[in-house]
Amino acid sequence: DLSLLRFISAELTRGYFLEHNEAKYTERRERVYTCMRIPKELEKLMFFGIFLCLDAFLYVFTLLPLRVFLAMFRFITLPCYGLRDRRLLQPAQVCDILKGVILVICYFMMHYVDYSMMYHLIRGQSVIKLYIIYNMLEVADRLFSSFGQDILDALYWTATEPKERKRAHIGVIPHFFMAVLYVFLHAILIMVQATTLNVAFNSHNKSLLTIMMSNNFVEIKGSVFKKFEKNNLFQMSNSDIKERFTNYVLLLIVCLRNMEQFSWNPDHLWVLFPDVCMVVASEIAVDIVKHAFITKFNDITADVYSEYRASLAFDLVSSRQKNAYTDYSDSVSRRMGFIPLPLAVLLIRVVTSSIKVQGVLAYVCVVLFYCGLISLKVLNSIVLLGKSCQYVKEAKMEEKLFNPVPTATPGKPAGKQQSMFKSTQGISTDENGSTSVTNQPVHQKENTPSLLVTSNSDQFLTTPDGEEKDISQDSSELKHRSSKKDLLEIDRFTICGNRID
């Protein structure tokens, strides 16, 4: 008997049982809990990563000058001890001297760049034009960062490679000029970014600052609707850490320039404080929303950020080993794309032009400030090393610090040998099919030759297709495993060649 009354009665009394689809609703509830955990886990990773960048940044101002002085002292006093060593200087000392010379040359070159003229030139542009310029600067900064560390690494290796090997390069001097040119151009680029941000702070209607902050929310649209795996999300997290730390330094430069214009009046600092908080808050909000929806759409748990943190801690611990093959600041540069030298050149240029040092008391204050920076650097390094050891132990990654890494044998490509070495390790995958950094390799056979103790954090896997082809000849299972790379083998430049579907 169909009637309108029976239909309304059925709609009012209709029942259903959620327990009939328990798995579905449990999964939805877990997604909500994951989104609620993202802010805490993400900020813990960001907090740890920002202090890693700070440690690498303070190294340029504190320990690098001392290391350069010790290297120069060894070079001058070497005839007194005799030429008992084939090397005049150790490779690390050569790299330190090169960094110091590049820093000094670029600092003097920056004196020919007029900050005031650049400020008034940018201030005279329209708001829309400045918005476009700022977006172009962000893209250029990423391109410079992706190629800059390669230029510096090429210089370091060219200057320190063994002499008996066959030379297949253009020489140390051309590489040195390329590195100086890169650092100088990148420092100018960051100066233009800081000047544009300073113009936005000093504009009367704050329209430019509002448009620049809204640009962060456009980043959400370009990220959350793409497919991400754990390795891709790890790369994005490293980029966000670098971007946030760079923004903090840019805000410091803007505050220094504004305080100089107002004769260091502390009242003006409170005028800048709301705008600074607004920029920082928008950056944090965008990162939280972006990561929350990326993890939701790709079914990634919040525990993955602890793996990312353990991977960054692994880099720090491995760089402290006696036979480490890279400096920690270079490791951070490769992992996050944060190169301290251009930013340090710009900060030194701004500080020296904003603060005038005159009189004995002023120089005493400078010396005390330098001692304070050294104390801060040492304290930060000790705390980071302790926390990194804790994170590595929690992730059960101690054995990876002592895993042998195969060296290329004559007549055999290094990529194939590395692939064969990976095939002997038991790499387990998680529920999503991606490799976890906390997984441990199976114990090697007794006849495996012992090699140097190195880490896998900086290996450049730029030919994944070739590796998969080699492994597919062994078995289809190993081919599937090789397509998912361990987080310790992913750096900023490895991921650039991988397409994100």
Side-chain angles (χ1 to χ4, degrees):
D1 187 11
L2 300 178
S3 65
L4 180 61
L5 184 61
R6 287 181 59 86
F7 179 78
I8 295 176
S9 176
E11 289 294 319
L12 293 176
T13 59
R14 179 170 54 88
Y16 50 86
F17 298 93
L18 299 182
E19 60 267 18
H20 290 169
N21 201 352
E22 179 180 356
K24 175 182 178 181
Y25 289 103
T26 302
E27 180 185 359
R28 299 296 174 86
R29 184 174 62 185
E30 291 300 325
R31 287 184 180 181
V32 175
Y33 292 163
T34 299
C35 290
M36 295 174 61
R37 290 180 55 195
I38 288 299
K40 178 182 177 182
E41 297 297 329
L42 177 63
E43 290 306 312
K44 288 168 63 176
L45 173 66
M46 289 286 178
F47 191 77
F48 182 71
I50 286 174
F51 275 95
L52 292 179
C53 293
L54 179 63
D55 187 69
F57 191 57
L58 289 177
Y59 170 81
V60 179
F61 301 99
T62 56
L63 299 186
L64 181 60
L66 299 179
R67 290 175 62 95
V68 172
F69 175 77
L70 292 177
M72 296 300 296
F73 181 77
R74 170 185 167 83
F75 182 76
I76 295 174
T77 59
L78 189 62
C80 300
Y81 299 97
L83 297 177
R84 289 176 293 182
D85 193 359
R86 295 178 60 187
R87 295 179 181 268
L88 297 178
L89 295 173
Q90 296 298 321
Q93 294 175 326
V94 175
C95 295
D96 292 335
I97 292 177
L98 290 175
K99 291 178 183 178
V101 174
I102 292 174
L103 195 67
V104 172
I105 293 177
C106 292
Y107 168 72
F108 284 106
M109 292 174 64
M110 288 295 292
H111 280 284
Y112 293 95
V113 181
D114 193 348
Y115 186 91
S116 301
M117 184 184 68
M118 183 183 298
Y119 176 83
H120 291 289
L121 180 64
I122 295 177
R123 189 180 181 88
Q125 307 299 322
S126 62
V127 174
I128 300 300
K129 186 182 293 185
L130 288 179
Y131 173 71
I132 297 175
I133 291 175
Y134 193 78
N135 289 336
M136 294 174 60
L137 291 175
E138 285 188 346
V139 175
D141 179 64
R142 295 187 180 185
L143 295 178
F144 268 92
S145 299
S146 64
F147 193 59
Q149 189 60 37
D150 289 344
I151 295 177
L152 296 176
D153 286 339
L155 172 64
Y156 301 152
W157 174 240
T158 305
T160 60
E161 66 177 340
K163 303 300 182 184
E164 62 271 9
R165 294 191 178 183
K166 181 180 178 181
R167 294 286 181 174
H169 53 79
I170 59 178
V172 179
I173 296 179
H175 279 285
F176 178 77
F177 282 114
M178 290 171 57
V180 171
L181 181 63
Y182 155 71
V183 174
F184 177 65
L185 293 179
H186 199 176
I188 293 179
L189 177 67
I190 301 174
M191 175 181 282
V192 177
Q193 280 186 298
T195 307
T196 308
L197 188 61
N198 194 8
V199 171
F201 269 70
N202 294 329
S203 60
H204 298 289
N205 53 5
K206 304 295 182 182
S207 59
L208 178 59
L209 186 61
T210 304
I211 294 176
M212 290 170 61
M213 287 193 306
S214 65
N215 187 40
N216 294 330
F217 291 91
V218 179
E219 185 181 354
I220 298 178
K221 178 182 177 181
S223 302
V224 298
F225 300 112
K226 293 183 179 179
K227 182 180 179 181
F228 278 85
E229 295 183 357
K230 292 171 63 177
N231 294 339
N232 304 105
L233 184 59
F234 182 42
Q235 175 57 30
M236 174 173 285
S237 302
N238 291 332
S239 298
D240 291 339
I241 293 172
K242 175 254 180 184
E243 182 180 359
R244 189 178 295 188
F245 182 80
T246 304
N247 288 337
Y248 291 161
V249 179
L250 292 180
L251 290 174
L252 175 62
I253 293 174
V254 169
C255 292
L256 288 175
R257 296 298 301 179
N258 279 274
M259 293 296 293
E260 179 197 5
Q261 297 299 322
F262 287 87
S263 302
W264 298 97
N265 186 6
D267 295 335
H268 184 68
L269 185 62
W270 296 107
V271 177
L272 297 173
F273 186 74
D275 295 335
V276 173
C277 293
M278 188 166 53
V279 173
V280 174
S282 65
E283 187 72 25
I284 295 176
V286 167
D287 289 340
I288 290 176
V289 173
K290 180 175 63 177
H291 284 265
F293 281 96
I294 287 176
T295 53
K296 177 184 182 298
F297 293 151
N298 295 276
D299 294 329
I300 301 176
T301 62
D303 296 331
V304 73
Y305 291 100
S306 62
E307 297 183 9
Y308 298 161
R309 190 176 55 193
S311 180
L312 295 178
F314 182 89
D315 289 342
L316 176 59
V317 176
S318 60
S319 65
R320 301 289 181 175
Q321 291 182 333
K322 184 178 180 180
N323 52 353
Y325 60 87
T326 183
D327 183 67
Y328 174 66
S329 60
D330 296 331
S331 177
V332 172
S333 301
R334 299 186 193 100
R335 180 73 76 177
M336 300 182 184
F338 170 70
I339 305 178
L341 288 181
L343 200 58
V345 169
L346 176 60
L347 186 59
I348 295 174
R349 170 70 174 85
V350 172
V351 171
T352 53
S353 62
S354 301
I355 301 176
K356 304 300 180 181
V357 180
Q358 297 178 351
V360 179
L361 183 59
Y363 284 101
V364 172
C365 292
V366 170
V367 173
L368 293 178
F369 180 74
Y370 179 71
C371 294
L373 283 181
I374 293 179
S375 302
L376 179 61
K377 168 67 174 66
V378 173
L379 179 62
N380 187 38
S381 300
I382 293 174
V383 175
L384 283 178
L385 184 59
K387 299 298 289 186
S388 299
C389 293
Q390 177 184 348
Y391 296 149
V392 170
K393 290 181 180 179
E394 290 177 355
K396 299 179 181 179
M397 298 169 61
E398 301 96 322
E399 295 181 3
K400 289 191 175 184
L401 290 172
F402 306 100
N403 276 347
V405 177
T407 57
T409 56
K412 187 174 182 180
K416 183 173 181 180
Q417 187 175 4
Q418 182 179 1
S419 302
M420 298 302 295
F421 176 77
K422 288 182 182 178
S423 64
T424 61
Q425 296 181 351
I427 305 177
S428 60
T429 56
D430 57 5
E431 297 178 357
N432 296 329
S434 57
T435 310
S436 172
V437 295
T438 58
N439 296 329
Q440 296 297 315
V442 178
H443 182 69
Q444 302 295 317
K445 296 181 180 180
E446 295 180 358
N447 56 358
T448 302
S450 59
L451 300 169
L452 294 178
V453 182
T454 54
S455 64
N456 300 329
S457 59
D458 297 316
Q459 295 178 0
F460 287 43
L461 305 179
T462 55
T463 56
D465 297 333
E467 294 181 2
E468 292 177 2
K469 182 177 179 182
D470 294 333
I471 299 178
S472 62
Q473 297 177 359
D474 297 334
S475 64
S476 60
E477 180 182 1
L478 295 180
K479 179 180 178 181
H480 173 71
R481 291 176 181 175
S482 65
S483 62
K484 308 294 184 180
K485 298 191 173 52
D486 195 277
L487 291 179
L488 294 178
E489 300 169 353
I490 299 296
D491 56 26
R492 181 177 179 84
F493 314 119
T494 301
I495 210 73
C496 291
N498 298 339
R499 181 174 61 88
I500 301 176
D501 298 324

